Amino acid sequence: MEDTAIVYYSLDGNTDHIARRIAEKTGAKLIRLETKRAYPRKGFKKFFIGGRDALFGARPELKASLPDLAPFGNIVIGTPVWASRPAPAINTFLRRAKLDGKRIALFACSGGGQAETCLDKMQALLAGNEILCRVSFINPVFKRGKTVDDAIDGILSALSE
């Protein structure tokens, strides 16, 4: 699957874990988004600042310029769920990237929150693309096993169709 890119943001490692697992199985190119101003990693500020930015649809500046996705027919987009929404770095990507006519798989990682709402918001910003699948994971770093493996296999199956 050389024509596949995985674009994702991860703060606590759950989304990174899933993105890397998909890349290992597909050989896809990993593109990790990072914000210029890092989000707090713990405590009240983590939830307050991250949740506020997610609720208001913030689009923070990214450390690197957006990748050229023209060579890729398949794009996998992964995000943690913040306040039932995608992480702000994903907002930046979805609103600025040149995505049209792509085959897209979406995944969201949460602690049990509103992943479907998050995936709905992502999909709404991807008009003009074919959404292959939408998958949610609950704490995949801690809940490894058949459920996580089956969900990853579902993404792989959708990409190979």
Side-chain angles (χ1 to χ4, degrees):
M1 293 190 195
E2 308 92 39
D3 73 332
T4 302
I6 303 167
V7 180
Y8 71 100
Y9 174 82
S10 186
L11 185 66
D12 292 331
N14 283 294
T15 309
D16 182 68
H17 174 73
I18 297 300
R20 289 183 183 283
R21 293 273 313 275
I22 295 168
E24 286 170 9
K25 293 181 177 233
T26 63
K29 177 179 174 72
L30 275 174
I31 303 166
R32 183 175 182 155
L33 302 175
E34 294 183 62
T35 56
K36 278 188 178 177
R37 195 181 99 240
Y39 280 92
R41 298 188 58 84
K42 59 186 174 183
F44 174 75
K45 282 185 177 184
K46 172 186 174 183
F47 296 101
F48 179 77
I49 294 170
R52 177 201 63 203
D53 283 3
L55 277 171
F56 289 105
R59 291 179 247 161
E61 288 300 315
L62 302 176
K63 278 188 178 179
S65 59
L66 290 177
D68 177 15
L69 298 173
F72 302 101
N74 296 319
I75 311 290
V76 178
I77 304 171
T79 185
V81 177
W82 290 8
S84 303
R85 289 161 174 74
I90 294 296
N91 288 334
T92 301
F93 170 74
L94 291 174
R95 295 193 183 269
R96 294 185 186 162
K98 304 278 190 264
L99 294 174
D100 196 31
K102 303 289 185 184
R103 293 167 28 95
I104 296 180
L106 301 173
F107 75 89
C109 297
S110 74
Q114 295 292 322
E116 286 304 311
T117 302
C118 173
L119 293 166
D120 288 345
K121 292 189 177 302
M122 291 170 67
Q123 185 169 341
L125 295 172
L126 291 163
N129 296 284
E130 178 185 357
I131 304 301
L132 302 172
C133 63
R134 300 163 29 131
V135 178
S136 62
F137 296 89
I138 298 174
N139 293 321
V141 168
F142 303 107
K143 294 184 178 181
R144 297 178 184 184
K146 185 167 174 30
T147 302
V148 170
D149 291 342
D150 288 349
I152 290 171
D153 288 345
I155 293 170
L156 301 178
S157 176
L159 290 170
S160 65
E161 289 180 1

